[in-house]
Amino acid sequence: MKHKTFRWIPAVLLAAMLLAGCGAETAPPASAAAPASVSAAASASEDRPAQKKPGADGRRTEQTVAEPPALPENWEQQVLTEWMAVTAVTQGESYAPADRNESFTLRLEKAEITGTVTVSFIRETYVSPQIQSAAETRTGELNAGAVTGWDGEKSQGWNLTCLSEDGRSRWMISMMEDGSLLMQSTGLKKDGTVWYVFRRTTAWDDIGFAAIPRKLWGTYRAGDEAAKGIRWMTFLPDGSCCMSVEWDGWSGILTGTAEGTQGRIEDGTELYFTLTDQNGKPCEFGAILLNDDGSPSGCSLKYRAGEVLFDRDTRPVYWKNDSPDLTLVP
């Protein structure tokens, strides 16, 4: 009986020890357990937006948003128009395109998307009696930031950036304090960056770079194909001209330069020329009659070939030859 009484004690002790060991493995340590209120706050903080932090003065601050470019007053009226280059700078050399019988025209127009401008860059080379022309149109994006020119001068605090379709060429356009436009062109030529300074075409004729008005540049053909006299005439930016003349008994080419003097008459303005033929013989008189818009409306010539005097004083209609690939044959 005595041995039977204590036989259950080891079994009870063993069961108690096993239960105590399982509890030690499953219960989390006190340091790892977080109160329910802390867990809820951490979860809620992930769903809420970040709070503003107080600044040095104790006030809450917000992240600054970039301000739009500072545009000049009446920006569209000042910028969205046609411009012509008065100066080009490449590899440190500055020149007037008109002196090389070239012209660079920049046309800025309002685009459909707000903050963008349609930019057309037109390059023309005048080789009498032919005009070679090329044009490219891009979309310019309005950005804040000045453009620094080749001479270190900075523009106003905005620019139009235009990229080519392949992204290899870039135009950056901005306005200088004197009202001119500055364009930086990169990637188009092997010599790297080319700078252009533009003036509004309405003010170009007042700058005085050439004796021939800008609107007269180009080639004009006689309106009456059957009429004798001048068949066509070409006026170049450097002030030179070339005329193909056909009279009964004589035909040839007259070349010369504008004298830089004009005279107002009842029918318009006369621009005077010093003209010679292929042999260097001068005309006795030469003048082009200009309309008020600068286009030619007629010509007065007096030329003596031998004993015969050819006098032409009529005003046929001329128009500019818009086909750059058309070569007019004398």
Side-chain angles (χ1 to χ4, degrees):
M1 292 296 293
K2 185 176 181 179
H3 293 286
K4 290 182 180 180
T5 302
F6 295 97
R7 187 176 297 176
W8 57 271
I9 295 177
V12 172
L13 292 176
L14 179 61
M17 293 175 62
L18 290 175
L19 289 174
C22 292
E25 293 177 1
T26 58
S31 60
S37 59
V38 175
S39 300
S43 176
S45 64
E46 295 178 358
D47 298 334
R48 291 197 305 266
Q51 301 220 347
K52 303 174 185 177
K53 295 182 180 181
D57 57 355
R59 299 179 180 179
R60 298 187 180 277
T61 59
E62 297 182 0
Q63 185 178 2
T64 58
V65 180
E67 296 182 358
L71 298 178
E73 188 178 357
N74 300 326
W75 181 80
E76 292 186 356
Q77 289 79 5
Q78 292 188 37
V79 178
L80 300 185
T81 184
E82 190 172 280
W83 304 77
M84 181 164 285
V86 297
T87 306
V89 180
T90 175
Q91 294 183 335
E93 179 187 2
S94 175
Y95 67 94
D99 293 341
R100 300 186 179 184
N101 286 330
E102 297 177 332
S103 68
F104 302 100
T105 304
L106 198 64
R107 186 178 299 123
L108 303 177
E109 300 173 298
K110 189 175 182 179
E112 296 180 358
I113 304 176
T114 303
T116 60
V117 176
T118 300
V119 181
S120 299
F121 186 45
I122 305 164
R123 301 174 293 276
E124 290 183 309
T125 302
Y126 298 83
V127 181
S128 177
Q130 191 177 19
I131 303 174
Q132 299 173 354
S133 178
E136 184 177 2
T137 300
R138 302 181 184 178
T139 299
E141 183 178 352
L142 190 61
N143 302 297
V147 177
T148 304
W150 74 95
D151 55 356
E153 184 179 359
K154 287 191 175 183
S155 70
Q156 298 181 12
W158 60 270
N159 67 80
L160 284 172
T161 300
C162 311
L163 294 176
S164 58
E165 292 184 358
D166 57 8
R168 300 174 60 184
S169 172
R170 183 182 67 174
W171 301 337
M172 286 190 67
I173 304 169
S174 188
M175 178 175 282
M176 307 302 289
E177 293 299 330
D178 63 356
S180 62
L181 277 191
L182 177 70
M183 185 173 90
Q184 178 192 33
S185 176
T186 57
L188 283 177
K189 297 185 178 181
K190 297 180 181 179
D191 50 8
T193 302
V194 181
W195 299 90
Y196 301 93
V197 179
F198 293 90
R199 293 283 184 181
R200 296 170 69 99
T201 54
T202 53
W204 173 265
D205 291 335
D206 298 330
I207 297 174
F209 277 91
I212 297 180
R214 177 189 57 84
K215 293 183 179 180
L216 196 60
W217 297 355
T219 299
Y220 298 79
R221 184 195 292 269
D224 185 359
E225 295 289 341
K228 298 295 182 180
I230 299 177
R231 309 310 309 139
W232 54 262
M233 50 189 178
T234 300
F235 304 98
L236 305 183
D238 64 357
S240 61
C241 64
C242 178
M243 301 183 186
S244 174
V245 183
E246 181 179 343
W247 282 311
D248 292 330
W250 187 87
S251 63
I253 300 293
L254 301 176
T255 58
T257 56
E259 297 179 2
T261 57
Q262 300 182 14
R264 182 71 185 179
I265 61 175
E266 182 180 356
D267 296 328
T269 302
E270 283 189 330
L271 179 63
Y272 304 106
F273 290 85
T274 300
L275 300 171
T276 59
D277 61 14
Q278 298 95 318
N279 299 320
K281 181 180 178 180
C283 284
E284 297 182 12
F285 175 78
I288 304 296
L289 180 66
L290 305 178
N291 294 317
D292 290 337
D293 63 357
S295 62
S297 63
C299 182
S300 297
L301 286 179
K302 184 179 289 186
Y303 174 77
R304 185 181 297 275
E307 297 299 326
V308 181
L309 179 65
F310 300 98
D311 192 357
R312 180 72 173 174
D313 190 12
T314 60
R315 290 171 172 79
V317 177
Y318 295 86
W319 65 88
K320 186 173 181 179
N321 173 21
D322 291 328
S323 176
D325 298 327
L326 177 61
T327 301
L328 302 177
V329 180

